[in-house]
Amino acid sequence: MIATALDHLTAPPSSKLLGWHLLDARPRDGWVRIGFDGRPEFCNPAGFVQGSILSAMLDDTMGPAVFVMTDGKLYTATITMTVNFLAPAKPGPITGEANVAQLGKTIAFVEGRLMAENGTVLATATTSARLVESAKAIR
């Protein structure tokens, strides 16, 4: 796998809870693929991963797309996020993909999607996010 700015970043507790792990990245394209663990503890009474958990997974996919594209110089703070739930998510591996649609001076626009292990698209999202300089960018 290609080296990215994420290689030297300690995952926050929220990412660890979701089972976040980098699967692939194309930093120049602003694209990432992230793996998540759709744990049974995340399920609603119907037995599907709860929508807010899926939203968190999408958020935790789209932000890293900007981070790798900017070589770790910029974090994101979500301004808006629109999520479309397309299929119920059963417990098990979930894969997220995100692509930076536009990187401005202060705002990024990013698109993301989550897929089940069999390739079924579970949810899609778009976000606008404020760009926040990391300590690396301030030095």
Side-chain angles (χ1 to χ4, degrees), residues 57-138:
M57 290 176 180
L58 283 160
D59 198 36
D60 231 7
T61 302
M62 293 185 290
V66 172
F67 191 77
V68 300
M69 186 178 204
T70 63
D71 194 31
K73 293 179 179 77
L74 298 172
Y75 288 101
T76 56
T78 303
I79 298 169
T80 63
M81 184 169 74
T82 301
V83 180
N84 299 296
F85 300 101
L86 306 176
K90 296 176 184 172
I94 295 174
T95 302
E97 290 184 0
N99 187 66
V100 178
Q102 184 175 356
L103 183 66
K105 291 184 181 190
T106 59
I107 305 289
F109 298 92
V110 188
E111 302 166 338
R113 66 184 185 153
L114 294 177
M115 293 149 298
E117 194 170 26
N118 67 3
T120 299
V121 178
L122 303 170
T124 61
T126 56
T127 190
S128 56
R130 179 159 309 280
L131 300 174
V132 179
E133 288 186 350
S134 69
K136 180 178 181 179
I138 297 171

